Amino acid sequence: MAARIEKNTIIGDVLDIAPQTAPLFQAIGMHCLGCPSARGETVEEACMVHGVDCEGFLAQVNRFIEATENAQQ
């Protein structure tokens, strides 16, 4: 079963669970994935700072994780 990322998930946790999502974060301007903020900032907070629709981004991330996991099976 695919991991489910929610708006209150910490970005660093997302990257621990699904490191393949890094390019999705970078594509919307979240380039500092290795900085301390990524270990304390939720997806919702990061989306707000970067002017990104959180619900749309979460849907994209979760679809990507699911597709990646399905392809590996």
Side-chain angles (χ1 to χ4, degrees), residues 56-70:
F57 182 67
L58 283 171
Q60 179 186 18
V61 168
N62 284 309
R63 280 192 310 267
F64 184 77
I65 292 170
E66 185 176 355
T68 302
E69 289 183 3
N70 288 339

Side-chain angles (χ1 to χ4, degrees), residues 2-26 28 30 33 37-47 54 57-66 68-69:
R4 186 86 184 143
I5 307 304
E6 299 182 4
K7 64 183 178 182
N8 62 345
T9 306
I10 302 295
I11 295 170
D13 292 343
V14 176
L15 297 173
D16 290 343
I17 295 165
Q20 70 274 21
T21 61
L24 298 177
F25 285 95
Q26 292 171 334
I28 61 169
M30 296 180 196
L33 299 177
S37 292
R39 289 288 164 188
E41 192 170 50
T42 67
V43 174
E44 181 178 41
E45 291 167 334
C47 284
C54 187
F57 182 67
L58 283 171
Q60 179 186 18
V61 168
N62 284 309
R63 280 192 310 267
F64 184 77
I65 292 170
E66 185 176 355
T68 302
E69 289 183 3

